[in-house]
Amino acid sequence: MGREVRVRRIYEPAAEEDGKRVLVDRVWPRGVSKDEARLDAWAKDVAPSTELRKWYGHDPDKFPEFERRYRAELGDPERTDALAELRDLAADGTVTLLTATKDVAHSQAAVLADRLK
């Protein structure tokens, strides 16, 4: 079976086609219980640094620079190991990267999905 990587908001109900569900935010999303989330993993070590996240502030105009900086951070040893774990989860089926961000197309989850594909 091939690898399929999806990106969704954690606030959307879990779906059968999600496969393995992985939260890729450093901070637990507000208003979501652990039971509701139905996670297979929480990969907070692969999330952007607090400094980068605060600088970005989810401003779509900053996304190209955010993506460049975040891809550089993914080369850090801590994130390299976490990224390898994500690759292992996605190796034999669908994995859905979950984020609380409203604009998933301009999020770290989108960058990670691209990296995993």
Side-chain angles (χ1 to χ4, degrees), residues 7-77:
V7 177
R8 294 184 65 202
R9 291 192 74 217
I10 193 159
Y11 298 107
E12 297 172 24
E16 187 69 33
E17 62 271 10
D18 286 347
K20 294 176 184 157
R21 294 171 49 88
V22 182
L23 178 62
V24 294
D25 291 349
R26 184 170 303 279
V27 178
W28 187 263
R30 291 180 185 173
V32 177
S33 72
K34 298 210 181 201
D35 287 339
E36 253 181 328
R38 293 185 42 202
L39 296 181
D40 293 290
W42 180 11
K44 59 184 162 186
D45 289 339
V46 80
S49 66
T50 300
E51 297 78 19
L52 180 57
R53 185 175 49 83
K54 287 181 177 181
W55 169 83
Y56 176 45
H58 303 288
D59 178 350
D61 292 335
K62 291 182 176 179
F63 185 71
E65 179 62 15
F66 166 78
E67 183 176 15
R68 185 192 70 72
R69 291 182 188 187
Y70 181 43
R71 285 182 182 274
E73 283 189 355
L74 288 172
D76 296 345

